[in-house]
Amino acid sequence: MAVWIQAQQLQGDALHQMQSLYGQHFPIEVRHYLSQWIEGQLWDAIDLENPQEEFKAKRLLDSLIQELQNKAEHQVGEDGFLLKIKLGHYASQLKSTYDRCPLELVRCIKHILYTEQRLVREATNSSSPVGGMMDSMSQKYQQINQAFEELRLLTQDTENDLRKLQHNQEYFIIQYQESLRIQAQLTSLATLPPADRQLREPALLSKRATVEAWLTREANTLQKYRLDLAEKHQKTLQLLRKQQTIILDDELIQWKRRQQLAGNGGPPEGGLDILQSWCEKLAETIWQNRQQIRRAEHLRQQLPIPGPIEELLNELNSTITDIISALVTSTFIIEKQPPQVLKTQTKFAATVRLLVGGKLNVHMNPPQVKATIISEQQAKALLKNENTRNDSSGEILNNNCVMEYHQTTGTLSAHFRNMSLKRIKRSDRRGAESVTEEKFTILFESQFSVGSNELVFQVKTLSLPVVVIVHGSQDNNATATVLWDNAFAEPGRVPFLVPDKVLWPQLCDAINMKYKAEVQSNRGLSEENLVFLAQKAFSSSSNNPDDYRSMTMTWSQFNRESLPGRNFTFWQWFDGVMELTKKHLKPHWNDGAILGFVNKQQAQDMLMSKPNGTFLLRFSDSEIGGITIAWVAENPNKAGERMVWNLMPYTTKDFSIRSLADRISDLNHLLFLYPDRPKDEVFSKYYTPPLSKAVDGYVKPQIKQVVPEFATANPDPASGNPTYMDQGASPAPVNHPHTYGIYPPMSDSMLDADGDFDLDDTMDVARHVEELLRRPVESQWGGQQS
């Protein structure tokens, strides 16, 4: 169902929120009459931060105006005449508004569509079986909105009281002036003859006594009004503090936690629209009360009356200033975090945002934001308010940016698009700590004033921890540091403390989240997969998941100490599996064709009960980022005996030459994917189509894979003489004397230092293969691997 149809069915506060999205910047009538066209455009395909995309945005603006004009022309009848005029007016209005800034139109419509989808989704979820959590969320939102309504009523009440106080005080001053006038008249009587003085003095004395009695009584009343008003302001500020604590210490902190987990592959942290609307309501209410308190102070100065009111007003003024300071400093946040694994000399981006900037009119004098990289120790000193003498731990290029205000969304933000870390200054490390365990952070800071320079704020915010690397080979270890920090950091910690050990189930949640995100798959790690990983991590043979629930894993076990008998850590092995799956095996993992997390003995036990030609795919235990094929077949040395064979592991380098599906297709002795699925049923949709026939008299060579011991089984007549790749059979119980290879080991990898695929090197390998196809087979198969 179209979003607009569902949006029109919203009720209550959700409907109000939806309606508030529209105005002169984008009329709701345009949304209504062009709903199908609007929802059919690729708004997300336009990068708002790229000025070069302005051409696409202008084209969409022109199309929108044309659609409106077409819609207007087709209106008929009396009602149609009015609508025709209105739609034509909107077309002209949109053109004049966005013709010079078409990207703002795209920003506006994306914001509208995103908010509508969220409101519809929330309304749908609240009525669904899984709506329990949404119900509690809606209840929480309702409580926040009720508190805002109470604050609004309290603020309106104190505003009325303040006006009443001002009116009464003005009347008091008039009467006080009257008493002064009477006193002046009495004084002037001294110059009159005694008879005249006696005639006029009694009336003036009586009038003065009446006025002074009224003034005394009214002064007490005014003092009571002032105290009552101050008490009401105290009540308002208490509720304001409570509401601000809920929004900043609960909701905003939860958003930041979701943002941190999103760095590990968790669900997106969600937009800031609701948080910004709450923070803006807080700012508006705080500012109104602050102005009221200042007006009350001004009234006190106009008419000083002895009593405790002066001290109360000073206390209120101090409290309201603390509240607004906390709001402003807490809502200066990082909307888009810089990369947590940061390579020197590489461009990176980040976005900071002030949630209350629009409401406080900060954009009238746009502040500048500066980015600096600091060490963990410097971050600790900063949070303790110690003098860091503007120290930094490196040099960032393009580290200054002016905050921009977007009228349509009401957001004030600074987009750092082209930062680059030129150099890094490391601290002395202790013990086994490596450079990839050293944490830094990007400090964003700014200064601005509000209320005609009444208040000046210096705001600072720290990014999530950043690990700086200088070479792609450090990436996997740096990622481990970031993963551990994101997963297990406690709110409000001292930078950047994390536990040294965690429960195994906690780690399972973290690596499963990361795996699904990296592979971009809904198929995560099963309980059997996690048991396999536990066996690897703890050198255990237990198959019972319960045996691992209370076990803990230390950081050293995770990525400092090598696995028994290996030269790599648990994380390095797991990261290699993720990389291989992400780059080359994703569709097969999603299809369930890869068991993956199975050791050699388990594979043998599983396959021996199956028919010959049954095979499975498992990740190599001995090689990082390797996958091997295990299959069951006859033992050529013992008639009637069967055995499980293991092919030498494939790596990214192999799959950049020939895909897994094609390699499986080449091996005719592989018949059934475990447990019993014909291989073509599983893999045929991924086979590379056959090469075309000869062109201009030339025949194209063809790379195929052959396992020597099984090369004669069902040969492919179209392939000519078989060609041999650098994988060979590695039977579990047998070593074969004759092994084959097509080319000697290459000294230059096809991957560059960062692990990226290099097309030029690949072409070199392909030419090398072509040349070697013409030579006799001489080289030997390598040793056994698993």
Side-chain angles (χ1 to χ4, degrees):
M1 187 186 296
V3 175
W4 182 241
I5 295 175
Q6 295 174 294
Q8 292 174 78
Q9 298 169 8
L10 294 171
Q11 296 179 352
D13 186 56
L15 179 61
H16 178 72
Q17 286 186 55
M18 187 271 285
Q19 290 171 335
S20 67
L21 295 170
Y22 298 95
Q24 289 187 343
H25 57 275
F26 197 80
I28 196 169
E29 292 89 344
V30 176
R31 175 71 174 102
H32 180 74
Y33 288 104
L34 296 186
S35 60
Q36 190 172 354
W37 182 87
I38 289 171
E39 292 178 33
Q41 306 309 304
L42 300 176
W43 305 103
D44 287 332
I46 296 180
D47 181 6
L48 296 173
E49 312 309 330
N50 185 359
Q52 295 179 354
E53 298 275 71
E54 192 167 299
F55 175 73
K56 293 183 187 176
K58 181 67 165 63
R59 200 162 53 192
L60 277 171
L61 170 63
D62 293 342
S63 298
L64 174 67
I65 293 168
Q66 185 62 51
E67 288 289 327
L68 263 181
Q69 291 171 340
N70 292 343
K71 197 76 173 178
E73 288 174 6
H74 288 85
Q75 302 305 315
V76 294
E78 185 176 341
D79 293 338
F81 173 73
L82 294 176
L83 183 59
K84 180 176 183 177
I85 294 175
K86 183 178 281 191
L87 292 179
H89 169 70
Y90 289 147
S92 302
Q93 179 182 315
L94 289 172
K95 182 172 178 60
S96 63
T97 303
Y98 295 111
D99 203 42
R100 294 185 178 180
C101 52
L103 284 171
E104 286 301 306
L105 171 73
V106 177
R107 189 188 303 277
C108 173
I109 294 179
K110 285 175 74 170
H111 171 69
I112 286 172
L113 292 176
Y114 169 80
T115 307
E116 284 180 353
Q117 288 165 358
R118 176 181 58 76
L119 291 171
V120 167
R121 186 169 62 249
E122 288 174 359
T124 304
N125 289 342
S126 64
S127 60
S128 68
V130 294
M133 186 172 68
M134 294 302 298
D135 286 342
S136 63
M137 188 179 294
S138 299
Q139 187 177 4
K140 180 170 60 178
Y141 288 2
Q142 188 176 3
Q143 290 171 350
I144 290 174
N145 290 331
Q146 285 173 348
F148 273 124
E149 179 61 18
E150 187 178 349
L151 281 166
R152 187 188 68 79
L153 293 174
L154 285 172
T155 303
Q156 185 61 54
D157 187 33
T158 49
E159 177 65 29
N160 294 336
D161 285 357
L162 186 61
R163 288 175 181 172
K164 182 179 178 182
L165 174 63
Q166 182 175 353
H167 174 76
N168 288 352
Q169 182 168 312
E170 287 170 351
Y171 187 67
F172 180 92
I173 291 172
I174 291 171
Q175 293 303 312
Y176 179 72
Q177 293 296 326
E178 176 66 13
S179 74
L180 292 178
R181 190 179 65 81
I182 294 171
Q183 183 60 44
Q185 288 177 339
L186 284 169
T187 304
S188 67
L189 289 178
T191 62
L192 297 179
D196 290 343
R197 188 169 66 240
Q198 289 176 0
L199 182 68
R200 298 176 60 181
E201 190 174 44
L204 286 173
L205 288 172
S206 173
K207 191 173 182 181
R208 185 181 69 175
T210 302
V211 171
E212 286 182 349
W214 184 89
L215 286 173
T216 301
R217 188 173 64 251
E218 191 63 19
N220 291 330
T221 302
L222 286 174
Q223 184 74 314
K224 184 177 182 303
Y225 280 173
R226 289 177 177 179
L227 290 172
D228 289 346
L229 180 61
E231 287 176 2
K232 285 186 177 181
H233 273 130
Q234 283 179 326
K235 182 181 177 182
T236 303
L237 297 195
Q238 285 175 355
L239 184 56
L240 261 173
R241 273 195 187 279
K242 182 180 177 182
Q243 182 80 327
Q244 184 157 298
T245 298
I246 291 171
I247 291 170
L248 299 184
D249 294 353
D250 294 346
E251 298 300 316
L252 185 56
I253 292 297
Q254 287 178 24
W255 181 88
K256 289 181 178 180
R257 179 60 182 150
R258 291 195 299 272
Q259 185 185 54
Q260 191 172 25
L261 289 175
N264 275 4
E269 61 268 32
L272 287 164
D273 294 342
I274 289 180
L275 275 169
Q276 175 162 317
S277 69
W278 288 340
C279 291
E280 286 179 339
K281 284 181 181 178
L282 279 173
E284 187 174 15
T285 307
I286 292 168
W287 198 255
Q288 287 172 350
N289 280 273
R290 184 175 185 275
Q291 295 304 101
Q292 288 180 10
I293 292 168
R294 289 172 66 84
R295 282 160 57 198
E297 172 67 19
H298 181 66
L299 290 175
R300 188 200 66 79
Q301 291 171 353
Q302 273 187 332
L303 183 62
I305 301 175
I309 190 64
E310 182 177 358
E311 186 179 339
L312 278 173
L313 285 173
N314 288 338
E315 184 182 327
L316 287 172
N317 207 29
S318 175
T319 301
I320 197 80
T321 302
D322 288 345
I323 292 174
I324 196 169
S325 295
L327 177 66
V328 172
T329 54
S330 297
T331 55
F332 182 65
I333 63 172
I334 303 173
E335 183 177 9
K336 179 186 175 184
Q337 291 280 342
Q340 287 186 263
V341 176
L342 187 57
K343 189 179 175 187
T344 55
Q345 312 294 335
T346 303
K347 190 174 82 169
F348 67 97
T351 301
V352 293
R353 180 166 161 182
L354 182 62
L355 297 180
V356 295
K359 188 59 67 176
L360 296 179
N361 292 324
V362 175
H363 58 283
M364 301 304 287
N365 185 18
Q368 189 172 76
V369 184
K370 179 182 178 182
T372 314
I373 188 164
I374 61 175
S375 69
E376 184 172 343
Q377 291 301 322
Q378 289 165 337
K380 287 178 185 176
L382 185 72
L383 292 187
K384 290 179 183 176
N385 291 322
E386 296 177 0
N387 183 15
T388 56
R389 304 185 308 279
N390 295 321
D391 285 344
S392 71
S393 290
E395 182 182 351
I396 299 178
L397 303 178
N398 303 316
N399 67 329
N400 285 284
C401 186
V402 175
M403 299 195 88
E404 300 173 357
Y405 183 67
H406 303 286
Q407 187 75 39
T408 52
T409 57
T411 59
L412 181 71
S413 53
H415 301 278
F416 292 85
R417 298 180 176 88
N418 295 296
M419 286 191 290
S420 176
L421 182 59
K422 184 177 179 182
R423 61 178 181 83
I424 191 67
K425 181 171 65 178
R426 299 191 183 276
S427 59
D428 294 331
R429 291 176 300 281
R430 300 175 184 174
E433 187 180 90
S434 67
V435 294
T436 55
E437 294 179 34
E438 186 178 4
K439 299 173 191 174
F440 297 87
T441 180
I442 309 294
L443 165 66
F444 295 94
E445 50 190 337
S446 183
Q447 178 177 310
F448 51 85
S449 61
V450 297
S452 302
N453 295 325
E454 289 177 26
L455 296 173
V456 177
F457 294 102
Q458 288 187 334
V459 293
K460 300 178 181 181
T461 187
L462 296 175
S463 75
L464 292 173
V466 167
V467 178
V468 177
I469 64 173
V470 296
H471 194 275
S473 61
Q474 298 172 312
D475 185 81
N476 61 350
N477 290 326
T479 302
T481 302
V482 167
L483 176 88
W484 191 277
D485 192 280
N486 286 344
F488 309 123
E490 294 289 335
R493 62 173 171 172
V494 175
F496 291 108
L497 292 181
V498 286
D500 183 59
K501 61 181 179 181
V502 295
L503 287 169
W504 172 250
Q506 290 178 286
L507 185 61
C508 288
D509 289 342
I511 60 177
N512 185 39
M513 181 186 291
K514 184 70 172 176
Y515 187 86
K516 286 164 66 175
E518 287 295 313
V519 179
Q520 296 180 331
S521 172
N522 291 324
R523 182 191 169 203
L525 302 174
S526 66
E527 188 169 63
E528 291 80 9
N529 298 156
L530 295 172
V531 167
F532 168 87
L533 291 172
Q535 291 172 336
K536 181 177 287 292
F538 300 115
S539 300
S540 170
S541 59
S542 172
N543 290 318
N544 186 355
D546 294 332
D547 290 346
Y548 303 105
R549 298 199 193 283
S550 60
M551 294 184 71
T552 58
M553 191 170 192
T554 66
W555 166 253
S556 291
Q557 288 173 299
F558 183 66
N559 196 46
R560 194 177 278 172
E561 301 167 359
S562 294
L563 291 170
R566 306 296 183 198
N567 62 352
F568 47 79
T569 66
F570 173 85
W571 165 256
Q572 288 167 349
W573 181 88
F574 183 78
D575 185 58
V577 164
M578 280 197 305
E579 280 295 301
L580 182 72
T581 307
K582 176 174 71 174
K583 290 181 177 177
H584 301 288
L585 308 178
K586 175 181 167 183
H588 309 304
W589 173 262
N590 289 338
D591 290 347
I594 297 175
L595 289 179
F597 300 96
V598 177
N599 63 41
K600 183 182 284 189
Q601 186 58 51
Q602 288 172 327
Q604 183 159 327
D605 294 342
M606 294 164 70
L607 290 170
M608 286 302 289
S609 63
K610 297 298 177 183
N612 287 347
T614 303
F615 68 98
L616 59 79
L617 296 155
R618 66 177 190 84
F619 299 121
S620 169
D621 282 313
S622 62
E623 187 163 353
I624 293 179
I627 190 169
T628 184
I629 301 175
W631 74 96
V632 62
E634 296 293 333
N635 184 344
N637 297 325
K638 289 187 181 180
E641 181 179 298
R642 301 192 321 144
M643 60 181 291
V644 172
W645 299 67
N646 290 278
L647 203 58
M648 203 161 80
Y650 300 122
T651 63
T652 288
K653 180 177 179 180
D654 303 310
F655 292 136
S656 62
I657 298 172
R658 190 154 174 79
S659 71
L660 174 65
D662 287 340
R663 290 174 182 271
I664 289 173
S665 173
D666 293 343
L667 302 178
N668 294 318
H669 57 278
L670 302 182
L671 304 176
F672 304 102
L673 178 67
Y674 182 89
D676 55 8
R677 298 170 67 189
K679 74 172 182 182
D680 287 345
E681 177 186 301
V682 180
F683 295 100
S684 61
K685 58 185 173 183
Y686 304 111
Y687 295 162
T688 301
L691 293 173
S692 59
K693 294 183 179 180
V695 179
D696 298 331
Y698 289 100
V699 178
K700 291 185 179 179
Q702 195 173 29
I703 298 175
K704 276 197 176 280
Q705 173 183 245
V706 173
V707 175
E709 288 82 351
F710 298 86
T712 57
N714 301 322
D716 182 0
S719 64
N721 293 327
T723 60
Y724 303 100
M725 301 302 292
D726 62 341
Q727 273 74 35
S730 180
V734 178
N735 286 324
H736 287 262
H738 299 292
T739 53
Y740 303 84
I742 186 169
Y743 51 82
M746 299 290 290
S747 58
D748 294 325
S749 171
M750 287 182 298
L751 302 181
D752 65 14
D754 296 335
D756 295 322
F757 185 70
D758 191 317
L759 180 61
D760 291 339
D761 286 349
T762 307
M763 295 303 293
D764 289 342
V765 170
R767 285 191 288 271
H768 197 167
V769 169
E770 261 188 76
E771 180 184 343
L772 290 168
L773 284 173
R774 303 184 181 95
R775 302 180 185 174
V777 176
E778 296 173 351
S779 60
Q780 299 294 308
W781 285 90
Q784 244 180 317
Q785 296 191 34
S786 64

